Amino acid sequence: MFFMKIGLDFDGVIADSHPLKSVIAKQMFGVDIPPDKFFKEYIVEAGLSIDQYKKVKENLYFNDHDISPIKDAPIRISLLLEQGHDIKIITSRTGETLEKAKNLLKKYNLNLPVVGVGYGVSKVPASEGLDVFIDDDIEKLIPLAGVVKHLLLFSSPYKNNKYKDVICVKSWNDIYKYITKI
Ligand SMILES: [Mg+2]
């Protein structure tokens, strides 16, 4: 095995942020949307406007919610670091929301470099030179084809991956197995 340069998204890969959207949408607007249904098409159908969805996300990222880590993420990341892999986080968060992510990382006992690229901004420049990148958003992975060799989509069972350049993983155990076999 050789040492790899690994890039990780933060929300939905390390921090289990998305279930909180359900709670906040219910509290703020009284709308019931299951955590795995937060796609633009579905939420509008369920009765949440795009503007309200924006407010839900602002609440999620700007307030000090105690967000749990994704199951097994801290332990598997620590193991990969111990094995000598080089790991950094590349997130859309910037400014205040980036600082909140750093606080959560401290809580998870993870000491990793973090790059905040900004919402709606490509992760390509920050990902140059990486061997592996893991994101839960397929839209972030597609532009990385040809830039990063191993693209892993951290996905729930509801997501269908039709992209040949992207490997689907469903848990941190899957990720660990994949990386240690490269
Ligand atoms: Mg994400």
Side-chain angles (χ1 to χ4, degrees), residues 114-151:
V114 186
V115 182
V117 299
Y119 290 97
V121 178
S122 166
K123 289 186 174 179
V124 169
S127 302
E128 304 272 1
L130 292 178
D131 302 298
V132 182
F133 194 79
I134 306 164
D135 208 299
D136 66 323
D137 183 354
I138 186 74
E139 303 296 328
K140 298 282 165 55
L141 289 176
I142 294 166
L144 293 176
V147 178
V148 179
K149 191 174 175 196
H150 302 275
L151 297 174

mmCIF file of all heavy atoms in Angstrom, residues 114-151:
data_model
loop_
_atom_site.group_PDB
_atom_site.id
_atom_site.type_symbol
_atom_site.label_atom_id
_atom_site.label_comp_id
_atom_site.label_asym_id
_atom_site.label_seq_id
_atom_site.Cartn_x
_atom_site.Cartn_y
_atom_site.Cartn_z
ATOM 1 N N VAL A 114 -8.493 22.234 6.671
ATOM 2 C CA VAL A 114 -9.806 22.480 6.072
ATOM 3 C C VAL A 114 -9.704 23.610 5.042
ATOM 4 O O VAL A 114 -9.154 24.667 5.335
ATOM 5 C CB VAL A 114 -10.832 22.896 7.152
ATOM 6 C CG1 VAL A 114 -12.226 23.016 6.537
ATOM 7 C CG2 VAL A 114 -10.846 21.908 8.299
ATOM 8 N N VAL A 115 -10.224 23.359 3.853
ATOM 9 C CA VAL A 115 -10.285 24.392 2.820
ATOM 10 C C VAL A 115 -11.754 24.702 2.569
ATOM 11 O O VAL A 115 -12.546 23.798 2.298
ATOM 12 C CB VAL A 115 -9.643 23.900 1.499
ATOM 13 C CG1 VAL A 115 -9.676 24.996 0.437
ATOM 14 C CG2 VAL A 115 -8.223 23.414 1.735
ATOM 15 N N GLY A 116 -12.141 25.971 2.665
ATOM 16 C CA GLY A 116 -13.512 26.381 2.372
ATOM 17 C C GLY A 116 -13.548 27.081 1.026
ATOM 18 O O GLY A 116 -12.900 28.107 0.855
ATOM 19 N N VAL A 117 -14.275 26.516 0.074
ATOM 20 C CA VAL A 117 -14.234 27.078 -1.287
ATOM 21 C C VAL A 117 -15.380 28.059 -1.564
ATOM 22 O O VAL A 117 -15.292 28.856 -2.481
ATOM 23 C CB VAL A 117 -14.229 25.972 -2.375
ATOM 24 C CG1 VAL A 117 -12.998 25.090 -2.229
ATOM 25 C CG2 VAL A 117 -15.503 25.140 -2.378
ATOM 26 N N GLY A 118 -16.457 27.986 -0.776
ATOM 27 C CA GLY A 118 -17.610 28.870 -1.021
ATOM 28 C C GLY A 118 -18.744 28.129 -1.694
ATOM 29 O O GLY A 118 -18.502 27.216 -2.483
ATOM 30 N N TYR A 119 -19.978 28.532 -1.376
ATOM 31 C CA TYR A 119 -21.155 27.854 -1.920
ATOM 32 C C TYR A 119 -21.277 28.094 -3.424
ATOM 33 O O TYR A 119 -21.090 29.214 -3.891
ATOM 34 C CB TYR A 119 -22.420 28.304 -1.186
ATOM 35 C CG TYR A 119 -22.444 27.781 0.225
ATOM 36 C CD1 TYR A 119 -22.031 28.573 1.295
ATOM 37 C CD2 TYR A 119 -22.820 26.460 0.484
ATOM 38 C CE1 TYR A 119 -22.002 28.070 2.589
ATOM 39 C CE2 TYR A 119 -22.787 25.961 1.768
ATOM 40 C CZ TYR A 119 -22.385 26.761 2.817
ATOM 41 O OH TYR A 119 -22.343 26.254 4.091
ATOM 42 N N GLY A 120 -21.528 27.036 -4.137
ATOM 43 C CA GLY A 120 -21.686 27.146 -5.580
ATOM 44 C C GLY A 120 -20.359 27.259 -6.330
ATOM 45 O O GLY A 120 -20.336 27.466 -7.532
ATOM 46 N N VAL A 121 -19.252 27.140 -5.585
ATOM 47 C CA VAL A 121 -17.931 27.261 -6.212
ATOM 48 C C VAL A 121 -17.360 25.852 -6.450
ATOM 49 O O VAL A 121 -17.531 24.967 -5.623
ATOM 50 C CB VAL A 121 -16.966 28.077 -5.310
ATOM 51 C CG1 VAL A 121 -15.583 28.173 -5.933
ATOM 52 C CG2 VAL A 121 -17.538 29.464 -5.049
ATOM 53 N N SER A 122 -16.683 25.660 -7.569
ATOM 54 C CA SER A 122 -16.123 24.352 -7.921
ATOM 55 C C SER A 122 -15.054 23.920 -6.906
ATOM 56 O O SER A 122 -14.278 24.739 -6.407
ATOM 57 C CB SER A 122 -15.499 24.429 -9.314
ATOM 58 O OG SER A 122 -14.693 23.311 -9.541
ATOM 59 N N LYS A 123 -15.013 22.617 -6.661
ATOM 60 C CA LYS A 123 -13.980 22.070 -5.786
ATOM 61 C C LYS A 123 -12.748 21.623 -6.584
ATOM 62 O O LYS A 123 -11.811 21.066 -6.017
ATOM 63 C CB LYS A 123 -14.556 20.900 -4.976
ATOM 64 C CG LYS A 123 -15.559 21.332 -3.906
ATOM 65 C CD LYS A 123 -16.027 20.187 -3.019
ATOM 66 C CE LYS A 123 -16.910 20.708 -1.889
ATOM 67 N NZ LYS A 123 -17.415 19.617 -1.019
ATOM 68 N N VAL A 124 -12.758 21.868 -7.889
ATOM 69 C CA VAL A 124 -11.661 21.373 -8.738
ATOM 70 C C VAL A 124 -10.297 21.960 -8.335
ATOM 71 O O VAL A 124 -9.363 21.194 -8.072
ATOM 72 C CB VAL A 124 -11.950 21.593 -10.244
ATOM 73 C CG1 VAL A 124 -10.705 21.321 -11.085
ATOM 74 C CG2 VAL A 124 -13.091 20.682 -10.705
ATOM 75 N N PRO A 125 -10.125 23.294 -8.263
ATOM 76 C CA PRO A 125 -8.781 23.807 -7.951
ATOM 77 C C PRO A 125 -8.227 23.259 -6.634
ATOM 78 O O PRO A 125 -7.054 22.908 -6.559
ATOM 79 C CB PRO A 125 -8.980 25.327 -7.866
ATOM 80 C CG PRO A 125 -10.220 25.595 -8.661
ATOM 81 C CD PRO A 125 -11.093 24.389 -8.484
ATOM 82 N N ALA A 126 -9.095 23.159 -5.617
ATOM 83 C CA ALA A 126 -8.647 22.672 -4.310
ATOM 84 C C ALA A 126 -8.352 21.173 -4.321
ATOM 85 O O ALA A 126 -7.695 20.660 -3.412
ATOM 86 C CB ALA A 126 -9.703 22.996 -3.247
ATOM 87 N N SER A 127 -8.824 20.467 -5.346
ATOM 88 C CA SER A 127 -8.672 19.010 -5.384
ATOM 89 C C SER A 127 -7.519 18.539 -6.267
ATOM 90 O O SER A 127 -7.267 17.336 -6.344
ATOM 91 C CB SER A 127 -9.958 18.354 -5.901
ATOM 92 O OG SER A 127 -11.042 18.711 -5.092
ATOM 93 N N GLU A 128 -6.842 19.471 -6.928
ATOM 94 C CA GLU A 128 -5.711 19.096 -7.796
ATOM 95 C C GLU A 128 -4.688 18.316 -6.971
ATOM 96 O O GLU A 128 -4.344 18.721 -5.872
ATOM 97 C CB GLU A 128 -5.020 20.354 -8.367
ATOM 98 C CG GLU A 128 -5.914 21.301 -9.132
ATOM 99 C CD GLU A 128 -6.033 20.972 -10.627
ATOM 100 O OE1 GLU A 128 -5.424 19.972 -11.067
ATOM 101 O OE2 GLU A 128 -6.750 21.724 -11.320
ATOM 102 N N GLY A 129 -4.231 17.193 -7.515
ATOM 103 C CA GLY A 129 -3.191 16.419 -6.832
ATOM 104 C C GLY A 129 -3.722 15.363 -5.881
ATOM 105 O O GLY A 129 -2.954 14.573 -5.343
ATOM 106 N N LEU A 130 -5.039 15.339 -5.662
ATOM 107 C CA LEU A 130 -5.599 14.308 -4.772
ATOM 108 C C LEU A 130 -5.732 12.978 -5.519
ATOM 109 O O LEU A 130 -5.925 12.956 -6.738
ATOM 110 C CB LEU A 130 -6.998 14.712 -4.281
ATOM 111 C CG LEU A 130 -7.114 15.899 -3.326
ATOM 112 C CD1 LEU A 130 -8.585 16.160 -3.007
ATOM 113 C CD2 LEU A 130 -6.333 15.640 -2.041
ATOM 114 N N ASP A 131 -5.637 11.864 -4.763
ATOM 115 C CA ASP A 131 -5.866 10.535 -5.339
ATOM 116 C C ASP A 131 -7.317 10.105 -5.153
ATOM 117 O O ASP A 131 -7.853 9.326 -5.933
ATOM 118 C CB ASP A 131 -4.971 9.499 -4.652
ATOM 119 C CG ASP A 131 -3.508 9.859 -4.772
ATOM 120 O OD1 ASP A 131 -3.024 9.912 -5.909
ATOM 121 O OD2 ASP A 131 -2.863 10.121 -3.734
ATOM 122 N N VAL A 132 -7.922 10.556 -4.057
ATOM 123 C CA VAL A 132 -9.286 10.136 -3.704
ATOM 124 C C VAL A 132 -10.087 11.358 -3.288
ATOM 125 O O VAL A 132 -9.559 12.229 -2.583
ATOM 126 C CB VAL A 132 -9.270 9.145 -2.495
ATOM 127 C CG1 VAL A 132 -10.668 8.663 -2.162
ATOM 128 C CG2 VAL A 132 -8.339 7.965 -2.742
ATOM 129 N N PHE A 133 -11.346 11.451 -3.718
ATOM 130 C CA PHE A 133 -12.228 12.467 -3.144
ATOM 131 C C PHE A 133 -13.580 11.852 -2.825
ATOM 132 O O PHE A 133 -14.108 11.052 -3.594
ATOM 133 C CB PHE A 133 -12.411 13.686 -4.057
ATOM 134 C CG PHE A 133 -13.032 14.841 -3.316
ATOM 135 C CD1 PHE A 133 -12.259 15.623 -2.483
ATOM 136 C CD2 PHE A 133 -14.398 15.099 -3.395
ATOM 137 C CE1 PHE A 133 -12.832 16.658 -1.742
ATOM 138 C CE2 PHE A 133 -14.973 16.131 -2.654
ATOM 139 C CZ PHE A 133 -14.191 16.908 -1.834
ATOM 140 N N ILE A 134 -14.113 12.212 -1.662
ATOM 141 C CA ILE A 134 -15.381 11.645 -1.208
ATOM 142 C C ILE A 134 -16.371 12.774 -0.924
ATOM 143 O O ILE A 134 -16.064 13.707 -0.170
ATOM 144 C CB ILE A 134 -15.182 10.798 0.074
ATOM 145 C CG1 ILE A 134 -14.095 9.735 -0.178
ATOM 146 C CG2 ILE A 134 -16.501 10.134 0.505
ATOM 147 C CD1 ILE A 134 -13.547 9.106 1.083
ATOM 148 N N ASP A 135 -17.540 12.707 -1.550
ATOM 149 C CA ASP A 135 -18.570 13.737 -1.362
ATOM 150 C C ASP A 135 -19.926 13.036 -1.348
ATOM 151 O O ASP A 135 -20.066 11.944 -1.900
ATOM 152 C CB ASP A 135 -18.512 14.750 -2.514
ATOM 153 C CG ASP A 135 -19.008 16.126 -2.104
ATOM 154 O OD1 ASP A 135 -20.193 16.251 -1.702
ATOM 155 O OD2 ASP A 135 -18.214 17.084 -2.178
ATOM 156 N N ASP A 136 -20.913 13.665 -0.722
ATOM 157 C CA ASP A 136 -22.259 13.077 -0.768
ATOM 158 C C ASP A 136 -23.106 13.769 -1.838
ATOM 159 O O ASP A 136 -24.285 13.485 -1.967
ATOM 160 C CB ASP A 136 -22.950 13.160 0.601
ATOM 161 C CG ASP A 136 -23.233 14.589 1.017
ATOM 162 O OD1 ASP A 136 -22.393 15.474 0.738
ATOM 163 O OD2 ASP A 136 -24.286 14.831 1.619
ATOM 164 N N ASP A 137 -22.483 14.697 -2.572
ATOM 165 C CA ASP A 137 -23.213 15.429 -3.603
ATOM 166 C C ASP A 137 -22.612 15.083 -4.963
ATOM 167 O O ASP A 137 -21.466 15.457 -5.250
ATOM 168 C CB ASP A 137 -23.087 16.933 -3.307
ATOM 169 C CG ASP A 137 -23.878 17.787 -4.283
ATOM 170 O OD1 ASP A 137 -24.440 17.230 -5.254
ATOM 171 O OD2 ASP A 137 -23.926 19.015 -4.078
ATOM 172 N N ILE A 138 -23.369 14.385 -5.768
ATOM 173 C CA ILE A 138 -22.870 13.948 -7.076
ATOM 174 C C ILE A 138 -22.451 15.144 -7.941
ATOM 175 O O ILE A 138 -21.491 15.079 -8.706
ATOM 176 C CB ILE A 138 -23.922 13.051 -7.792
ATOM 177 C CG1 ILE A 138 -23.363 12.456 -9.103
ATOM 178 C CG2 ILE A 138 -25.215 13.780 -8.087
ATOM 179 C CD1 ILE A 138 -22.373 11.367 -8.944
ATOM 180 N N GLU A 139 -23.153 16.275 -7.762
ATOM 181 C CA GLU A 139 -22.841 17.482 -8.554
ATOM 182 C C GLU A 139 -21.418 17.986 -8.292
ATOM 183 O O GLU A 139 -20.830 18.667 -9.130
ATOM 184 C CB GLU A 139 -23.828 18.611 -8.227
ATOM 185 C CG GLU A 139 -25.294 18.275 -8.436
ATOM 186 C CD GLU A 139 -25.630 18.000 -9.900
ATOM 187 O OE1 GLU A 139 -24.991 18.605 -10.771
ATOM 188 O OE2 GLU A 139 -26.522 17.158 -10.151
ATOM 189 N N LYS A 140 -20.907 17.693 -7.094
ATOM 190 C CA LYS A 140 -19.542 18.118 -6.764
ATOM 191 C C LYS A 140 -18.516 17.155 -7.340
ATOM 192 O O LYS A 140 -17.372 17.525 -7.596
ATOM 193 C CB LYS A 140 -19.362 18.208 -5.241
ATOM 194 C CG LYS A 140 -20.269 19.216 -4.571
ATOM 195 C CD LYS A 140 -19.715 20.621 -4.777
ATOM 196 C CE LYS A 140 -20.731 21.699 -4.472
ATOM 197 N NZ LYS A 140 -21.307 21.615 -3.136
ATOM 198 N N LEU A 141 -18.935 15.900 -7.536
ATOM 199 C CA LEU A 141 -17.985 14.871 -7.999
ATOM 200 C C LEU A 141 -17.809 14.883 -9.512
ATOM 201 O O LEU A 141 -16.710 14.644 -10.002
ATOM 202 C CB LEU A 141 -18.449 13.484 -7.545
ATOM 203 C CG LEU A 141 -18.334 13.203 -6.043
ATOM 204 C CD1 LEU A 141 -18.905 11.834 -5.723
ATOM 205 C CD2 LEU A 141 -16.882 13.279 -5.579
ATOM 206 N N ILE A 142 -18.893 15.152 -10.237
ATOM 207 C CA ILE A 142 -18.834 15.057 -11.705
ATOM 208 C C ILE A 142 -17.685 15.904 -12.290
ATOM 209 O O ILE A 142 -16.913 15.398 -13.099
ATOM 210 C CB ILE A 142 -20.204 15.427 -12.335
ATOM 211 C CG1 ILE A 142 -21.237 14.372 -11.935
ATOM 212 C CG2 ILE A 142 -20.109 15.518 -13.849
ATOM 213 C CD1 ILE A 142 -22.673 14.795 -12.204
ATOM 214 N N PRO A 143 -17.536 17.186 -11.850
ATOM 215 C CA PRO A 143 -16.439 17.980 -12.440
ATOM 216 C C PRO A 143 -15.043 17.469 -12.071
ATOM 217 O O PRO A 143 -14.057 17.894 -12.666
ATOM 218 C CB PRO A 143 -16.651 19.386 -11.836
ATOM 219 C CG PRO A 143 -18.018 19.380 -11.270
ATOM 220 C CD PRO A 143 -18.332 17.974 -10.891
ATOM 221 N N LEU A 144 -14.967 16.559 -11.088
ATOM 222 C CA LEU A 144 -13.653 16.065 -10.659
ATOM 223 C C LEU A 144 -13.176 14.860 -11.472
ATOM 224 O O LEU A 144 -12.042 14.398 -11.293
ATOM 225 C CB LEU A 144 -13.690 15.696 -9.167
ATOM 226 C CG LEU A 144 -13.876 16.864 -8.197
ATOM 227 C CD1 LEU A 144 -13.989 16.349 -6.767
ATOM 228 C CD2 LEU A 144 -12.714 17.831 -8.290
ATOM 229 N N ALA A 145 -14.043 14.365 -12.364
ATOM 230 C CA ALA A 145 -13.633 13.247 -13.222
ATOM 231 C C ALA A 145 -12.464 13.707 -14.083
ATOM 232 O O ALA A 145 -12.506 14.780 -14.693
ATOM 233 C CB ALA A 145 -14.805 12.801 -14.091
ATOM 234 N N GLY A 146 -11.387 12.927 -14.081
ATOM 235 C CA GLY A 146 -10.190 13.313 -14.836
ATOM 236 C C GLY A 146 -9.216 14.138 -14.012
ATOM 237 O O GLY A 146 -8.068 14.326 -14.386
ATOM 238 N N VAL A 147 -9.671 14.656 -12.869
ATOM 239 C CA VAL A 147 -8.800 15.430 -11.971
ATOM 240 C C VAL A 147 -8.348 14.532 -10.821
ATOM 241 O O VAL A 147 -7.168 14.475 -10.474
ATOM 242 C CB VAL A 147 -9.547 16.669 -11.404
ATOM 243 C CG1 VAL A 147 -8.656 17.446 -10.442
ATOM 244 C CG2 VAL A 147 -10.048 17.569 -12.527
ATOM 245 N N VAL A 148 -9.322 13.821 -10.220
ATOM 246 C CA VAL A 148 -9.052 12.902 -9.112
ATOM 247 C C VAL A 148 -9.411 11.490 -9.585
ATOM 248 O O VAL A 148 -10.504 11.283 -10.116
ATOM 249 C CB VAL A 148 -9.899 13.275 -7.869
ATOM 250 C CG1 VAL A 148 -9.631 12.314 -6.720
ATOM 251 C CG2 VAL A 148 -9.616 14.710 -7.440
ATOM 252 N N LYS A 149 -8.485 10.540 -9.368
ATOM 253 C CA LYS A 149 -8.683 9.202 -9.947
ATOM 254 C C LYS A 149 -9.844 8.448 -9.295
ATOM 255 O O LYS A 149 -10.664 7.845 -9.974
ATOM 256 C CB LYS A 149 -7.387 8.403 -9.804
ATOM 257 C CG LYS A 149 -7.423 7.110 -10.598
ATOM 258 C CD LYS A 149 -6.092 6.400 -10.572
ATOM 259 C CE LYS A 149 -6.215 5.049 -11.285
ATOM 260 N NZ LYS A 149 -5.087 4.167 -10.964
ATOM 261 N N HIS A 150 -9.886 8.469 -7.956
ATOM 262 C CA HIS A 150 -10.913 7.685 -7.254
ATOM 263 C C HIS A 150 -11.967 8.624 -6.678
ATOM 264 O O HIS A 150 -11.697 9.356 -5.731
ATOM 265 C CB HIS A 150 -10.286 6.863 -6.127
ATOM 266 C CG HIS A 150 -9.215 5.940 -6.598
ATOM 267 N ND1 HIS A 150 -9.478 4.685 -7.094
ATOM 268 C CD2 HIS A 150 -7.870 6.104 -6.685
ATOM 269 C CE1 HIS A 150 -8.346 4.107 -7.453
ATOM 270 N NE2 HIS A 150 -7.356 4.941 -7.208
ATOM 271 N N LEU A 151 -13.148 8.601 -7.250
ATOM 272 C CA LEU A 151 -14.239 9.462 -6.781
ATOM 273 C C LEU A 151 -15.276 8.592 -6.092
ATOM 274 O O LEU A 151 -15.841 7.679 -6.700
ATOM 275 C CB LEU A 151 -14.875 10.191 -7.965
ATOM 276 C CG LEU A 151 -13.953 11.151 -8.710
ATOM 277 C CD1 LEU A 151 -14.646 11.692 -9.951
ATOM 278 C CD2 LEU A 151 -13.519 12.305 -7.802
#
